[in-house]
Each structure stands twice: as structure tokens, then as C-alpha cells.
Amino acid sequence: MADPMRLRAQVAGDKATVRVLMAHEMETGQRKDSAGKVIPAWFIQDVTATLNGKTVMTAEWGPAVSKNPFMQFTIKGAKAGDKVAISWVDNKGDKRTDEATVS
């Protein structure tokens, strides 16, 4: 299981700004280890954000995304107390979901 994401959601007016720092190695499949063997690709493929269970954002990523990726986006109509959840699935089938309350 992957390390937890650092997830923050803050309201400003009628929008909430969501900031997410994901812990993931994000290997491209092009680097070699010290023995000269290619390190297999391992990266987040799908990211989904929900507000109170309703999908508000989806993304498809590939091997070009950096290690421990950071993502920021805004959600219109969010208010304090709402629940924001971020889920990802990588190319090996590993999954992670974390949730935060909008403040």
C-alpha cells in the first residue's frame, strides 16, 4: 500500500482550492539500475477527485509525470464541511484513496 497523500481543501468565496501531494515513485521504464537492467515502468494512470461522492475531476497520466506528483485544482460550489476524496490507480493495479474535509 502506498503512503498517504497530503490533501488540503480550502474555501475562498464560492470555490474551494484543492492541493494534493501524492507519494509515488513514478518510474518511466527507461532508467537502468546499477547492474544495467531496465527498471520497469511504474506510474499513476488514473486520478479521480470527488466532492461528496460526485466526480468533479478525472485525469489520465503517463510515465512523464514526476516522482511524488503535486496537483492543484479548484471546485466551484464547494463549502466548508464538504468531503473531497482523491483516488488513483497505477499501471500495476495499486490503488490509493484519501479524503479531506473542506475548511
Side-chain angles (χ1 to χ4, degrees):
M1 178 60 83
D3 291 333
M5 290 179 256
R6 295 188 66 190
L7 175 58
R8 304 285 182 268
Q10 295 177 313
V11 148
D14 67 335
K15 296 185 233 177
T17 300
V18 179
R19 293 176 181 89
V20 187
L21 181 61
M22 303 175 192
H24 198 284
E25 291 298 313
M26 303 294 282
E27 284 293 343
T28 65
Q30 297 178 357
R31 290 186 332 124
K32 294 182 180 180
D33 63 13
S34 59
K37 293 188 160 209
V38 174
I39 299 169
W42 182 36
F43 55 89
I44 295 173
Q45 286 185 181
D46 299 305
V47 181
T48 304
T50 61
L51 177 67
N52 297 325
K54 180 182 174 192
T55 300
V56 292
M57 192 271 312
T58 59
E60 293 180 5
W61 288 356
V65 177
S66 69
K67 178 179 178 177
N68 300 325
F70 173 79
M71 177 175 66
Q72 178 177 314
F73 59 96
T74 58
I75 302 173
K76 289 184 181 179
K79 55 193 175 303
D82 286 351
K83 299 285 186 191
V84 175
I86 306 292
S87 302
W88 59 254
V89 179
D90 69 17
N91 65 320
K92 291 184 178 181
D94 293 334
K95 298 176 185 182
R96 178 80 196 187
T97 301
D98 287 299
E99 188 176 276
T101 302
V102 177
S103 60

